[in-house]
Amino acid sequence: MDIEKARQRVAQLTLELNNHNHRYYVLSTPIITDFEFDALLQTLAQIENQFPELKSPLSPTQRVGESKSDDFESVIHLRPMLSLDNSYNEEDLFEFDKSVKKILDQSLDSEIQYSCELKFDGLSISLHYENGMLQKAVTRGDGIAGDNVTENIKTIKSIPLQLHGTYPNSFEIRGEVYMPHPVFDALNKQRAQNNEELLKNPRNAASGSIKIKNPKMVAQRKLDCFLYQVLGDGLPFTTHIENLKASKTWGFKVSEHSTVCKNINEVIDYIHLWDTKRTQLSYDTDGVVVKVNSLILQKNLGFIAKSPRWAKAYKFKAEQAITQLLSISYQVGRTGAITPVANLSPVELGGTTIKRASLHNSDIIKKLDLKENDFVIIEKGGEIIPKIIAVDLSKRNSQQQSISFITHCPECQAPLVKKDDEANHFCENELNCKPQVLGKIEHFVSRKAMNIDSIGSETIEKLYQENLIKNYSHLYDLTFEQILTLNANAEKSANNLINGIHESKNVPFDKVLFAIGIRHVGETTAKKIVKKLASINTIMQANKEELLAIDEVGEVIADSIIQFFQNKNNVQIIDKLKRAGLQLELINTEDSQLSSKLNNCTFVISGVFEKYSRDEYKELIEKNGGKNVSSISKKTSYLLAGANMGPEKLKKAEELKIPIINEAQFLELIEK
């Protein structure tokens, strides 16, 4: 693979992984298994190792977990909430044991004590206590900063607000918020009676509940929480499990199934035991977390970029079932992407009846060598989303026909297009293909875009059917009387919709740019583009070189932006939005330059920082006249180094004799 192909592949994988991260942690709607995600992440890491100059501080390989919500105060973690390396087989655990002994310079015949704990499937939380009182509860967020959800956490009765016994004056304890199965079942039963959409699974229900703004509603969800790690300077014991047991005496709920294993063989026995017994539990667990029990050894082992060297997460294999493929239907997304869906003979799997499974794209169908009426093996990917993993060839006969992917859009009959560098087929009839039109409008009005919450998908479809809107710009032409024709008895709803559309004219430019739906341009990328180019006119006129100079914009995104504005229909829509009075340029009085102290200086930032986040340091650099770059070269002025920084960056900086400064030295530099 040459550098250009590697660059394209990195861009593609980054987009894909960021999308899956967003779906899993923010939207709680994952579409691939943990195993598939880890495989994609490993592929990206291998390419970045081969081409270090392509590794970005914003790469998914440097990320941990979800993107933080905008609905709560953001809090920087005192200690980063790093993720764990995942393992799917026992060989990985034996390698983990060898690695631990090698780093600690111990004989392979020696024995290391490990703690074993069930891996709970919910939402990670960090609780901070001062003098025995709960002070703050923060979600994992992106691992560096999370959301302050203290008021919501207070509604969980198993979390003590005031401790008892003898405890450290100041400490942090981490755990997992979850929804017990009986609570989940009762909640869905009630929602069914109220004709409300059913919650998909307990994990999504727990994650979504913590992000509800009204604590009273959170209290009704009857969430629970297991605590699994105590952190602080004055802990009573030098082992992980002893501190965990001590926390139980302070009032915390700790799993009774956590234990200490004398060696890695006992760890394997523990995993075998709970791979079977987990079905008897009243809550979800998807694996076992293995940790070096000694805190002293943990400190000696340290961390790599995104995870501790002293811990490993073993993931249980997903449950499987065999059923027959009845047919394949095809869905059209708002971008025109065609997704094949397998319609299956109903089968019970993991407590639910499975009737459908995503096949993702034509490549997956070819890889499976799927034929009509095949018997297929399905599993719940990540124990949530069903997927076909193989065909049961023993049940196949010679009369079965191969499946040919459709050539025309199932909705508008336009010919489908598939580019060599993309997995999906696309319908390019975006102006007249109904699912695309409706999907774009739904995206435009969504909470993270224009936030017109007074209009739902049913209303959008009615407006479309009545020929009142054909794209999202037509929303700004709607009148009260037109909306009222949809439902003569809904004056209040019509007023709310008109007011919501009018208020959306005050939505800031970065959200408008995200809302208009340029392919591959997400929330974060939209903010970066707006910050650099400041107006829609500048963006429309920008060439590829100017776009590539923007942090987080690569070849794929740059090409997508240029193609979007080369489309005359899109330009007409933008002109209409201008006339409607939307915010299409940056208005930010706080974004003025602080100084020119860093003029002509370029910075590479790596690692974890205490006083400010990495993004805040980037902003300080730019506000003082400096420039941020992602990779080190001879032209780099400084490497701003935090804890657990990437070893490759450090090595390259030392080789090129680039000045390496810490955050205190940087702050001194701009304060002079």
Side-chain angles (χ1 to χ4, degrees), residues 16-84:
E16 195 171 348
L17 287 162
N18 283 340
N19 178 50
H20 290 311
N21 263 328
H22 183 73
R23 292 186 71 95
Y24 189 91
Y25 291 106
V26 179
L27 304 180
S28 295
T29 55
I31 58 173
I32 63 172
T33 66
D34 290 354
F35 182 86
E36 287 173 310
F37 182 93
D38 288 339
L40 290 172
L41 195 65
Q42 187 177 7
T43 300
L44 179 57
Q46 288 171 348
I47 297 173
E48 289 178 343
N49 289 336
Q50 186 179 353
F51 300 95
E53 62 270 35
L54 299 182
K55 185 183 288 187
S56 163
L58 297 173
S59 167
T61 60
Q62 308 300 306
R63 273 177 53 88
V64 182
E66 65 184 284
S67 299
K68 61 181 182 296
S69 168
D70 292 332
D71 295 337
F72 300 90
E73 173 200 7
S74 179
V75 177
I76 296 175
H77 293 296
L78 293 176
R79 304 168 186 85
M81 290 187 74
L82 302 179
S83 63
L84 300 179

Side-chain angles (χ1 to χ4, degrees), residues 459-523:
T459 303
I460 290 171
E461 184 156 8
K462 285 182 180 178
L463 290 168
Y464 179 81
Q465 288 174 341
E466 294 297 322
N467 209 30
L468 294 174
I469 57 173
K470 287 300 180 184
N471 61 60
Y472 46 72
S473 71
H474 294 151
L475 290 169
Y476 297 93
D477 294 330
L478 290 173
T479 64
F480 175 81
E481 290 74 22
Q482 285 176 324
I483 298 170
L484 202 59
T485 59
L486 303 179
N487 187 344
N489 299 317
E491 289 189 18
K492 185 177 179 181
S493 297
N495 270 321
N496 288 341
L497 179 50
I498 290 295
N499 290 336
I501 291 171
H502 180 73
E503 288 171 6
S504 73
K505 295 178 183 181
N506 298 317
V507 168
F509 179 30
D510 62 285
K511 289 186 177 293
V512 179
L513 183 62
F514 171 61
I516 64 177
I518 302 174
R519 196 169 166 218
H520 302 311
V521 176
E523 287 178 88

Side-chain angles (χ1 to χ4, degrees), residues 72 151-152 155 209 211-220:
F72 300 90
E151 295 306 311
N152 284 351
T155 67
S209 297
K211 295 177 183 178
I212 295 174
K213 281 190 171 182
N214 186 345
K216 290 183 179 179
M217 291 180 63
V218 181
Q220 295 170 5

